[in-house]
């Protein structure tokens, strides 16, 4: 079981969708071109762009990519019911517009080996308020990677890695600093040392 969990953590995208009814199909992906395996409600299904869930509430979908290193351009663009994502360790590149306009997305965990996040990858994710980056080295971003995310969010990075993420949090147009995000490090099980928050402003822990 532990080996299986490790395989999922390293290789599978973990996705949570907010399902409000069982009659309307939910858009899971914009394109299945890079989907090798899709598991919905703990059952493997033929990869599909839409799925009608049998239950409401938060539902988990796991996806194994054919090219495990890349989340392709526009793969999840416009998936308006997507609420949370965890990018696995195998991924090194999140291409442009990968999660553009996922308006219900509130949190994203970025695996430690991601080195590049493309233009507008998270643009217009207007509910995005929490990003956890597991890598000590910050992925490269563009001036539009986080265009029009939620104001006042929280960026969590590994202990000792804050200086590596300063480009993300400065107040240049459209990066996280422009939207008044906080940068903190050394988060363990949701516990935050408030003295690590930037500019003397104390961030609020989010579970």
């Amino acid at each position: 079981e532990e080996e299986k969990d490790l395989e999922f953590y390293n290789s599978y995208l973990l996705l949570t969708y907010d399902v409000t009814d069982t009659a309307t199909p939910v858009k899971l992906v914009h394109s299945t071109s890079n989907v090798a395996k899709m598991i919905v409600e703990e059952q493997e299904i033929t990869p599909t762009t839409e799925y009608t869930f049998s239950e409401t509430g938060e539902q988990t979908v796991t996806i194994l990519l054919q090219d495990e290193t890349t989340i392709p351009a526009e793969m999840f663009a416009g998936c308006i019911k997507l609420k949370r994502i965890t990018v696995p360790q195998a991924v090194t590149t999140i291409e442009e517009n990968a999660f553009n306009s996922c308006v219900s997305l509130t949190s994203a965990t970025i695996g430690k080996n991601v080195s590049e996040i493309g233009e507008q990858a998270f643009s217009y994710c207007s509910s995005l308020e929490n990003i956890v980056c597991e890598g000590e080295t910050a992925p490269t971003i563009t001036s539009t990677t986080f265009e029009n995310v939620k104001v006042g969010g929280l960026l969590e990075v590994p202990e000792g890695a804050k200086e590596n993420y300063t480009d993300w949090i400065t107040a240049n147009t459209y990066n996280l600093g422009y939207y008044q995000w906080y940068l903190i490090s050394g988060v363990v099980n949701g516990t935050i040392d408030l003295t690590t928050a930037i500019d003397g402003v104390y961030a609020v822990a989010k579970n």
Side-chain angles (χ1 to χ4, degrees):
E1 184 67 30
E2 184 175 342
E3 289 183 359
K4 180 180 178 182
D5 290 344
L6 185 61
E7 177 190 1
F8 268 71
Y9 185 70
N10 287 337
S11 302
Y12 281 75
L13 275 164
L14 304 180
L15 311 155
T16 301
Y17 295 82
D18 186 11
V19 180
T20 54
D21 65 74
T22 57
T24 304
V26 172
K27 183 178 179 181
L28 300 182
V29 292
H30 180 74
S31 170
T32 61
S33 60
N34 195 40
V35 178
K37 184 182 292 187
M38 181 176 286
I39 300 171
V40 180
E41 297 182 311
E42 300 184 352
Q43 298 293 322
E44 184 175 350
I45 66 169
T46 301
T48 179
T49 57
E50 293 185 340
Y51 184 82
T52 303
F53 288 86
S54 60
E55 297 183 5
T56 59
E58 295 186 359
Q59 302 296 331
T60 300
V61 176
T62 56
I63 290 178
L64 179 65
L65 302 171
Q66 289 181 352
D67 175 3
E68 292 188 7
T69 66
T70 303
I71 299 178
E74 300 185 1
M75 183 171 185
F76 295 93
C79 292
I80 62 174
K81 294 293 186 178
L82 182 57
K83 188 171 183 179
R84 291 192 298 274
I85 60 169
T86 299
V87 176
Q89 308 298 345
V91 171
T92 59
T93 303
I94 300 174
E95 293 187 343
E96 65 271 14
N97 296 298
F99 296 96
N100 191 308
S101 300
C102 292
V103 295
S104 297
L105 186 67
T106 60
S107 66
T109 298
I110 309 297
K112 67 180 181 180
N113 293 313
V114 173
S115 61
E116 181 181 0
I117 306 177
E119 292 186 358
Q120 296 194 322
F122 290 94
S123 289
Y124 300 96
C125 293
S126 54
S127 299
L128 184 60
E129 62 182 2
N130 185 214
I131 299 173
V132 178
C133 288
E134 297 181 331
E136 293 187 3
T137 301
T140 59
I141 59 175
T142 77
S143 61
T144 62
T145 296
F146 299 108
E147 184 177 357
N148 287 321
V149 295
K150 189 173 182 177
V151 172
L154 185 65
L155 172 63
E156 304 177 29
V157 303
E159 185 174 2
K162 281 177 63 177
E163 289 186 0
N164 299 331
Y165 285 83
T166 53
D167 287 346
W168 284 43
I169 210 72
T170 54
N172 295 332
T173 303
Y174 299 142
N175 72 3
L176 297 178
Y178 180 80
Y179 298 104
Q180 302 171 32
W181 276 49
Y182 301 116
L183 170 62
I184 60 172
S185 64
V187 180
V188 180
N189 296 327
T191 301
I192 297 172
D193 178 2
L194 295 180
T195 61
T196 65
I198 63 166
D199 297 333
V201 178
Y202 295 145
V204 178
K206 293 181 174 65
N207 294 326

